[in-house]
Amino acid sequence: MFSLTHLHPMLVHFPIALIMVGFLAELIYLFYKKEVCLTKVGFYLLILGTLAACAAVLSGFLFTDNMAGAAGQIKETHELCALLTVIFALVTSAIRIYLMMQKTEKPGLNKLAFVFYGITAIAVSATGFFGGNLVYNYMMPL
C-alpha cells in the first residue's frame, strides 16, 4: 500500500540524474563549442533538476521520520547537503535564465554559472551519498 513516506525515496533520484547529466552536457560543451545543443540540454536539465530538488527536499522535510544517534547526525548532514543543493541550483538557474533573457554574450557570468553548476553537481552527489548511507546502513534489514 502507498504511504506518503514513500514519496521522498521516489523523488530523490530525479534531481541526482537531471543535475548530473546536465552538468555533464555542459562539461562536454566546453570541448565541443560548435554543438550548441549541449548547453541547451544542460540548461533545461538544470531547470528540471532544480524543480525536482525542491520537491525532493520538501518531501524529505514533510514525510520522513526523526532519527537519533549516529543516524540522526548523518540525517542532519544529508539535510544540510540537500539545502545547499537547492540553494546552488536556484542561484545557477537564476543566472542561466538571466543570461538567456539577455541574449548577449557575458563570459564572466557564463563562467560563474558553470562553476555554480559544478558545485550543485557536487552537492547533489554528497546529498545522495549521505541519503544512501542512511538507507543502507541504518534502515534496511540485513
Side-chain angles (χ1 to χ4, degrees):
M1 178 159 191
F2 181 77
S3 167
L4 286 178
T5 58
H6 296 136
L7 194 58
H8 182 67
M10 290 168 54
L11 292 176
V12 297
H13 300 89
F14 290 100
I16 295 169
L18 293 168
I19 290 171
M20 296 301 288
V21 172
F23 181 69
L24 181 62
E26 290 287 338
L27 197 59
I28 294 170
Y29 174 72
L30 287 178
F31 299 104
Y32 300 103
K33 293 273 188 194
K34 62 184 174 188
E35 296 294 334
V36 181
C37 67
L38 288 172
T39 192
K40 288 182 181 183
V41 165
F43 171 75
Y44 291 119
L45 290 176
L46 171 66
I47 299 302
L48 291 172
T50 300
L51 294 173
C54 290
V57 166
L58 188 62
S59 70
F61 282 132
L62 293 176
F63 305 124
T64 58
D65 298 327
N66 290 330
M67 299 174 187
Q73 291 174 342
I74 293 172
K75 184 179 181 205
E76 287 179 15
T77 305
H78 172 67
E79 289 173 345
L80 175 64
C81 290
L83 282 175
L84 290 173
T85 298
V86 168
I87 290 167
F88 282 117
L90 287 170
V91 169
T92 307
S93 295
I95 294 170
R96 291 292 303 268
I97 290 169
Y98 172 77
L99 288 169
M100 182 175 265
M101 291 174 66
Q102 290 299 309
K103 296 184 181 182
T104 59
E105 195 66 28
K106 297 188 186 266
L109 272 181
N110 281 335
K111 289 177 185 175
L112 182 65
F114 180 77
V115 168
F116 274 131
Y117 207 161
I119 293 169
T120 304
I122 292 168
V124 78
S125 298
T127 303
F129 171 78
F130 288 112
N133 192 354
L134 278 174
V135 169
Y136 289 108
N137 293 331
Y138 294 98
M139 297 170 119
M140 288 222 159
L142 296 175

